[in-house]
Amino acid sequence: SQTIHQWPATLVQPVGSPLSLECTVEGTSNPNLYWYRQAAGRGLQLLFYSVGIGQISSEVPQNLSASRPQDRQFILSSKKLLLSDSGFYLCAWSVGTDQPQHFGDGTRLSIL
Amino acid sequence: KNEVEQSPQNLTAQEGEFITINCSYSVGISALHWLQQHPGGGIVSLFMLSSGKKKHGRLIATINIQEKHSSLHITASHPRDSAVYICAVRFGRDTDKLIFGTGTRLQVFP
């Protein structure tokens, strides 16, 4: 069966520090991968999605970047975190466009 | 503008009650998702539908394409159903982008 792993579960970082969140999927090949952010009191917002290795689509201009170095690995990064980067970050995968998406347990990021 | 509206924002119920959560969207869609977010933050996909009705256990999801409206029903609600229920839509067939509602927070009391 397919599983998705996302870590860390919680993270507290100072303003200006770098960020790396990792997401891996097991049990499937060539999944579509997604990074979402849920700010306090707001709905989920798609940040990045990827349909293959090295293929990244950005939905929202921001302080973040994403990379897909391997088929089932998706990384969310920042060189210098801002206070506004605080939120709950979720990784998800699907077998293709217009298919159900399956979510990781999320990373709660607090910027101090 | 593509928008997704959910109602109510908050809902409380007694165990055993029938629950209805509503979702309306502004333009035609290719698919609508219902998701459940537990207090810890984890999200589970409940349904994906583009027409008609789907049922899974005590959960029923319906969609009316003409009225641009979907409902999620929970029969014989239970305290473990307490969660945030989120509606999300895909507005085109060639995009992977989902637009999310802000969710309905449901609390079921014993």
Side-chain angles (χ1 to χ4, degrees):
Chain A
S1 63
Q2 302 90 354
T3 56
I4 179 169
H5 302 281
Q6 189 181 338
W7 66 92
T10 59
L11 189 59
V12 180
Q13 290 284 98
V15 169
S17 63
L19 172 75
S20 180
L21 301 181
E22 188 162 342
C23 172
T24 59
V25 180
E26 295 177 0
T28 187
S29 295
N30 197 32
N32 284 6
L33 296 171
Y34 313 86
W35 276 112
Y36 292 95
R37 177 169 61 200
Q38 186 176 40
R42 303 187 66 180
L44 282 157
Q45 183 182 43
L46 178 65
L47 302 175
F48 301 95
Y49 71 92
S50 171
V51 297
I53 295 175
Q55 301 178 60
I56 309 294
S57 295
S58 174
E59 287 296 319
V60 181
Q62 61 223 321
N63 184 42
L64 303 168
S65 62
S67 62
R68 186 170 176 172
Q70 299 181 48
D71 181 43
R72 291 169 286 177
Q73 184 185 31
F74 206 23
I75 298 172
L76 183 70
S77 304
S78 174
K79 292 182 180 177
K80 290 177 89 171
L81 286 166
L82 306 172
L83 281 174
S84 57
D85 292 323
S86 292
F88 188 60
Y89 289 82
L90 285 149
C91 179
W93 72 273
S94 72
V95 297
T97 302
D98 218 17
Q99 296 296 316
Q101 295 183 18
H102 308 278
F103 291 80
D105 290 333
T107 295
R108 198 164 300 281
L109 175 64
S110 299
I111 310 300
L112 304 178
Chain B
K1 183 180 177 183
N2 299 336
E3 290 185 347
V4 181
E5 299 281 342
Q6 279 187 245
S7 64
Q9 283 189 313
N10 296 282
L11 184 58
T12 58
Q14 288 296 124
E15 184 173 356
E17 284 185 14
F18 181 82
I19 305 292
T20 296
I21 299 170
N22 298 298
C23 177
S24 298
Y25 47 91
S26 56
V27 297
I29 63 169
S30 63
L32 183 143
H33 299 249
W34 280 104
L35 310 168
Q36 180 190 52
Q37 185 170 29
H38 290 283
I43 291 181
V44 174
S45 179
L46 299 176
F47 297 103
M48 187 187 81
L49 65 166
S50 54
S51 65
K53 173 180 171 179
K54 287 191 175 180
K55 184 176 189 291
H56 181 70
R58 296 180 294 107
L59 301 177
I60 303 167
T62 64
I63 188 168
N64 185 316
I65 298 298
Q66 287 73 31
E67 295 186 4
K68 299 184 177 59
H69 179 269
S70 175
S71 293
L72 176 68
H73 306 285
I74 305 175
T75 61
S77 59
H78 190 276
R80 65 174 175 266
D81 296 325
S82 299
V84 175
Y85 292 84
I86 301 169
C87 170
V89 302
R90 180 178 286 108
F91 285 106
R93 293 201 178 277
D94 297 327
T95 175
D96 247 352
K97 184 174 182 177
L98 293 177
I99 306 296
F100 293 80
T102 53
T104 295
R105 185 175 301 276
L106 170 66
Q107 287 186 294
V108 182
F109 294 99

